[in-house]
Amino acid sequence: MKKIIIADDEHKILMSLEYSFRKSGYEVFIARDGSEVMDLLKTEIPAAVLLDIMMPNLDGYETLQQIRAEEQLKDCKIVIVSAKNNPADIQKAYDLGADAYVTKPYSIKKLLQQVDELIT
C-alpha cells in the first residue's frame, strides 16, 4: 500500500484529504505541523508528503529542508499545498526541493492524480 503523510494545520482540509487518499488506496498519516511530520518520518518512509507552508512550530519550508537533508528520504516526493500563490513563494519551494506545488483552492481529484503520477 502506498503511504502518504498529509500536513496541514486546518482540520477540515486534513480530514477531506485523508478521506480522499484513503478511498484511493493510500495508507494515510496526518500531521498538524512540520514537527509532527518529522516525528512520523522517524518510523515511516512514505512515497509522498503533502505539506502546507503556513503551519505552527515548523513551517512547510523548514520541513521541506529537513526532509531533503535526510538521505533515507531522498526518493520521497514532496507536494506543497498552499494558499500562497506568489511566484516567489512557489520558486522558493522548488528551490528547496519540492516536486510539485498546488495552490488552494484545488481539485482533490486533480491533486490525487498529480500525486499518483509523481510516485509511479
Side-chain angles (χ1 to χ4, degrees), residues 5-19:
I5 294 175
I6 301 170
D8 201 303
D9 58 334
E10 291 185 46
H11 184 73
K12 287 180 182 175
I13 291 173
L14 271 180
M15 294 302 101
S16 69
L17 288 175
E18 178 184 25
Y19 173 79

Side-chain angles (χ1 to χ4, degrees):
M1 184 177 285
K2 302 171 281 192
K3 292 182 185 180
I4 190 168
I5 294 175
I6 301 170
D8 201 303
D9 58 334
E10 291 185 46
H11 184 73
K12 287 180 182 175
I13 291 173
L14 271 180
M15 294 302 101
S16 69
L17 288 175
E18 178 184 25
Y19 173 79
S20 299
F21 276 89
R22 282 191 197 281
K23 200 171 130 191
S24 295
Y26 284 81
E27 183 178 0
V28 179
F29 300 89
I30 58 172
R32 286 159 207 79
D33 64 38
S35 301
E36 289 183 16
V37 171
M38 296 315 294
D39 285 344
L40 281 167
L41 290 171
K42 290 175 185 168
T43 57
E44 302 296 334
I45 304 289
V49 176
L50 268 54
L51 277 180
D52 184 23
I53 291 175
M54 297 179 288
M55 296 184 293
N57 302 321
L58 197 61
D59 73 19
Y61 291 132
E62 293 165 350
T63 306
L64 173 55
Q65 280 183 293
Q66 288 188 23
I67 292 170
R68 287 298 179 229
E70 298 288 333
E71 177 62 26
Q72 72 271 22
L73 299 172
K74 69 180 183 335
D75 295 330
C76 181
K77 300 299 181 190
I78 306 207
V79 180
I80 300 294
V81 182
S82 178
K84 288 176 153 273
N85 60 3
N86 180 312
D89 293 316
I90 295 168
Q91 188 59 52
K92 180 177 179 180
Y94 282 117
D95 290 347
L96 293 172
D99 295 290
Y101 195 106
V102 177
T103 54
K104 297 176 184 175
Y106 50 82
S107 154
I108 289 183
K109 184 179 178 182
K110 284 183 182 171
L111 180 60
L112 274 164
Q113 197 172 22
Q114 197 167 4
V115 171
D116 279 340
E117 288 170 9
L118 271 176
I119 65 173
T120 52

